[in-house]
Amino acid sequence: MPYIQFLGAAGTVTGSKHLINTTYDSSGAQGYQVLIDCGLFQGQKEWRERNWQDTPVPAREIDAVILTHAHLDHCGWIPRLVKEGFQGQIYATQATIDLCSVVLPDSGHLQEEDAAFHNKKGSSKHSPALPLYTQEEAEDCLKYFKAVEIEKPIELSPELSFRFVRAAHILGSCMAEVTLRTDGQMRRLLFTGDIGRVRDNQVAPGKVVHSGPQEGESADVLVMESTYGNRQHPDTDPRPELARLIRETVQRGGNVVVPAFAVERTQKFVFMLKELMESGQIPRVPVFCDSPMAIKAVQIYLKHAEEYTPQAADLIKKYGSPLGWAGFTFASTAEESKKINDNKFPSIIISSSGMVTGGRILHHLAQRLPDPRNLVIFIGFQAPGTRGAIIKGRAPEVKIFGEFVPIRAQVAALEQFSDHADPPELLEWLRTFKGTPGVTYLVHGEPAASSQLRDLMKKELSWNVQVAEYMERVGVK
Ligand SMILES: [Zn+2]
C-alpha cells in the first residue's frame, strides 16, 4: 500500500517535509519516493536539532521533491538533502525558483556565520561547529530545480503524477495535487503547503499577489496546514490606523521603524505606503527599504507581473517600478544602510529580519528605541523569545549587540498583514470542495492550533480529521 510519512511540520510550524512512497511491501521493496517540501526546522533548539538528523530513507533513494513555495520552513533543507546525496529533480514554479535562488544562498551564508560565531565563542558542543550547509552548497543545489507551469500535469513515474494549483500565499506559491495510480486504483492527494487569505481588500489589503486559493478541489487524502488554527485575523482595514500612527509620529518629529520579512511582507508594506501617500493619507516623508534581499525580491516580483492583484498592477502601471519611486530609497550596500542614520528628519525605515533576530534592523532599533518620539510597528508574527516579541511585549529594555537598550519609543502591532488563511477563511475554502476527503491530516501548526482546527472542521463539516504526528506513517487507502 502507498504511504505518506510526516517528516516535519507535525506538531510545529517549521520543517515541512512529507514523504510519499508509492509502494511498500513486507519484502522492503521501495516504490517511487517523493518529498513534498523540504523545509528547515526553525525556532526552539529541540526542533532545530532535527535539521542534523538523516531522513528515514536515504536521501539518494528519494526520487524527486515537489516544492510548494520559497519560505525557508518549506525549502530551507534542500541544500542539506542534496549534501546527503539527493540527485533528483526539484519541481517548483519559476517564481518559487527565482525566490529560492536568493533565499537559499542567504540561508547558507547565515549558517556559515552562525558556525563562525560559535567557533569564536566556543559555545557549541561540536568542535569545530559546522554549518548545516554553506552558501556555495546552497547555490550548487539550484541546478536540480525544474520549473513547472501552474495547472500543467507532470508525470513523475507510471504511478505518480502531480500538478500545481494556486495557494495564494506568497509569490509563486502553490498546492500540489498528487495523483497515485496503484493496485488498479486512482487516488488524489492534495498537499496545501501554506494557504493564503481567502478574501481580499478590506480584511487582507495590500496583497501584491493573487488572493484566494484554488476553489473546487477534491481529494481522497488532504494534507493541510493549520498555522492559524486557533487565531482569527482582525476584520478591520489596517490602513486608517497605520495612517494615523505615521501622521502622529511625523508630527512629533519621530521616525517610524518597521521590522519586516524581506520577501512578500516588505513588498506588501511598501505598496501600501505608496497608496497612502498618493491618496494624501500620510505625508510624503522619505521611505528607506534597508535590505539587500528585499531589493532582489522586488526585482523578482517585477518579473512575475502575472501574479499581481489588480491593485498592485494599477500602482505599477501608474508609478512604475517601486525601485524608482521618488522618495523611496532601497539600500543595498552597508554604506547606503549607514547613511540612513544621518537622516535627521522624520522618515519610515523598513528592514529585516522580521522578528529582529538579526540583520540591519538591529542597528536601526538600537539607535531609535530610546527616543519616545519614534514608533516601531510590527506587521508580522513574533515568535516567543525573539527580540521582536520582547519589544512587542513592551518590556522596559532589550538586549542588542550585547547591550541593554531602553524601549521608550511607541510600539504598535498590526495583525492584518498575515499571509495565512484563518479558520473562517479555511472553512470558506473547504466548503468549495467537491465531495468530502476520505481523511484530512493537519500539519504545520502548533499542537493547540492543529487540535482546535480539527475540532472545528469536525463540528462544522463533519469531516474525518486527524492531527499528523512527527514521523507518523499513514497508509493511503
Ligand atoms: Zn509560507
Side-chain angles (χ1 to χ4, degrees):
M1 192 179 16
Y3 70 82
I4 301 170
Q5 192 174 12
F6 304 106
L7 309 184
T12 183
V13 291
T14 64
S16 259
K17 252 180 243 97
H18 312 300
L19 180 75
I20 306 173
N21 189 338
T22 56
T23 48
Y24 181 78
D25 59 36
S26 51
S27 70
Q30 300 288 344
Y32 192 86
Q33 303 193 83
V34 57
L35 264 187
I36 310 289
D37 286 339
C38 187
L40 201 62
F41 283 106
Q42 296 164 302
Q44 312 275 26
K45 195 172 174 201
E46 155 202 6
W47 293 109
R48 281 186 282 117
E49 280 177 346
R50 296 190 179 170
N51 288 324
W52 295 91
Q53 294 168 4
D54 294 337
T55 42
V57 292
R60 66 177 178 285
E61 288 179 12
I62 296 171
D63 298 287
V65 174
I66 299 172
L67 177 62
T68 61
H69 67 289
H71 275 151
L72 275 185
D73 57 332
H74 291 258
C75 70
W77 210 74
I78 288 174
R80 184 73 191 186
L81 186 76
V82 170
K83 196 172 171 166
E84 301 280 317
F86 172 80
Q87 290 187 327
Q89 302 252 263
I90 301 158
Y91 297 91
T93 61
Q94 187 61 53
T96 296
I97 296 174
D98 291 345
L99 288 174
C100 281
S101 70
V102 175
V103 163
L104 291 178
D106 182 71
S107 170
H109 177 70
L110 291 178
Q111 304 282 351
E112 286 183 77
E113 271 187 355
D114 262 8
F117 174 81
H118 286 301
N119 286 329
K120 200 170 145 203
K121 287 199 110 185
S123 53
S124 169
K125 57 181 183 221
H126 306 284
S127 180
L130 296 171
L132 193 61
Y133 51 84
T134 62
Q135 181 174 345
E136 200 184 330
E137 284 164 338
E139 279 160 4
D140 191 49
C141 83
L142 296 170
K143 64 175 184 248
Y144 294 101
F145 280 75
K146 190 169 167 55
V148 168
E149 279 170 46
I150 291 176
E151 294 189 3
K152 188 177 172 191
I154 306 290
E155 292 284 330
L156 294 184
S157 82
E159 64 256 353
L160 193 146
S161 62
F162 81 98
R163 63 169 203 150
F164 280 134
V165 294
R166 287 197 189 286
H169 168 59
I170 63 163
L171 188 82
S173 68
C174 281
M175 306 191 200
E177 270 182 20
V178 176
T179 304
L180 276 180
R181 284 173 234 92
T182 52
D183 320 324
Q185 274 194 63
M186 194 185 92
R187 301 173 197 83
R188 168 75 60 83
L189 282 51
L190 180 65
F191 293 83
T192 66
D194 288 349
I195 306 171
R197 306 295 297 273
V198 172
R199 293 174 299 241
D200 203 355
N201 298 328
Q202 295 309 313
V203 289
K207 263 196 90 78
V208 181
V209 299
H210 285 296
S211 204
Q214 177 80 35
E215 296 188 347
E217 282 296 305
S218 62
D220 299 300
V221 180
L222 172 65
V223 178
M224 183 172 118
E225 73 131 325
S226 54
T227 316
Y228 274 79
N230 59 348
R231 280 175 289 168
Q232 227 169 296
H233 303 311
D235 58 1
T236 51
D237 183 346
R239 283 171 283 204
E241 193 187 352
L242 175 64
R244 179 183 58 79
L245 287 164
I246 293 174
R247 281 195 310 268
E248 288 172 1
T249 308
V250 171
Q251 271 160 19
R252 61 178 184 251
N255 288 282
V256 180
V257 185
V258 187
F261 293 108
V263 176
E264 191 83 13
R265 200 58 55 90
T266 293
Q267 288 75 24
K268 210 169 172 179
F269 196 73
V270 162
F271 273 69
M272 193 179 282
L273 289 177
K274 179 72 174 168
E275 184 197 324
L276 292 175
M277 263 180 207
E278 294 300 333
S279 60
Q281 296 178 68
I282 58 171
R284 288 181 188 273
V285 291
V287 175
F288 297 99
C289 186
D290 189 16
S291 158
M293 214 212 286
I295 299 170
K296 288 183 195 158
V298 169
Q299 287 161 342
I300 295 169
Y301 273 76
L302 291 170
K303 208 178 129 186
H304 293 281
E306 73 281 0
E307 295 218 16
Y308 294 160
T309 56
Q311 296 92 326
D314 265 6
L315 269 178
I316 290 183
K317 203 169 149 201
K318 259 193 208 157
Y319 307 111
S321 159
L323 299 176
W325 288 348
F328 286 68
T329 305
F330 289 80
S332 177
T333 65
E335 274 309 298
E336 288 165 334
S337 174
K338 281 188 195 125
K339 264 194 196 155
I340 297 171
N341 290 340
D342 300 338
N343 178 52
K344 297 292 173 243
F345 302 101
S347 63
I348 301 168
I349 303 159
I350 309 155
S351 186
S352 51
S353 72
M355 296 196 218
V356 201
T357 47
R360 292 181 180 177
I361 189 71
L362 294 178
H363 296 275
H364 299 301
L365 287 174
Q367 195 185 337
R368 290 177 176 85
L369 273 174
D371 187 339
R373 289 177 301 172
N374 296 330
L375 165 70
V376 181
I377 307 180
F378 289 98
I379 55 170
F381 176 70
Q382 303 301 313
T386 57
R387 281 193 203 89
I390 293 167
I391 300 168
K392 192 178 163 186
R394 295 169 179 81
E397 55 189 14
V398 63
K399 203 172 185 183
I400 299 178
F401 302 129
E403 284 183 27
F404 283 101
V405 177
I407 302 173
R408 298 195 198 99
Q410 183 186 2
V411 177
L414 296 171
E415 311 287 353
Q416 288 95 328
F417 288 84
S418 172
D419 293 310
H420 291 267
D422 67 2
E425 291 173 273
L426 288 172
L427 285 179
E428 190 180 325
W429 175 63
L430 292 170
R431 286 197 170 104
T432 72
F433 269 54
K434 296 181 206 132
T436 304
V439 58
T440 298
Y441 296 103
L442 294 181
V443 295
H444 206 283
E446 294 299 328
S450 302
S451 57
Q452 206 166 314
L453 184 61
R454 174 197 59 203
D455 296 347
L456 182 75
M457 285 172 67
K458 282 184 170 179
K459 184 170 160 257
E460 295 290 326
L461 306 169
S462 304
W463 286 14
N464 172 18
V465 187
Q466 296 174 28
V467 176
E469 281 179 37
Y470 180 57
M471 297 305 264
E472 184 187 4
R473 191 192 267 201
V474 294
V476 179
K477 293 195 187 80

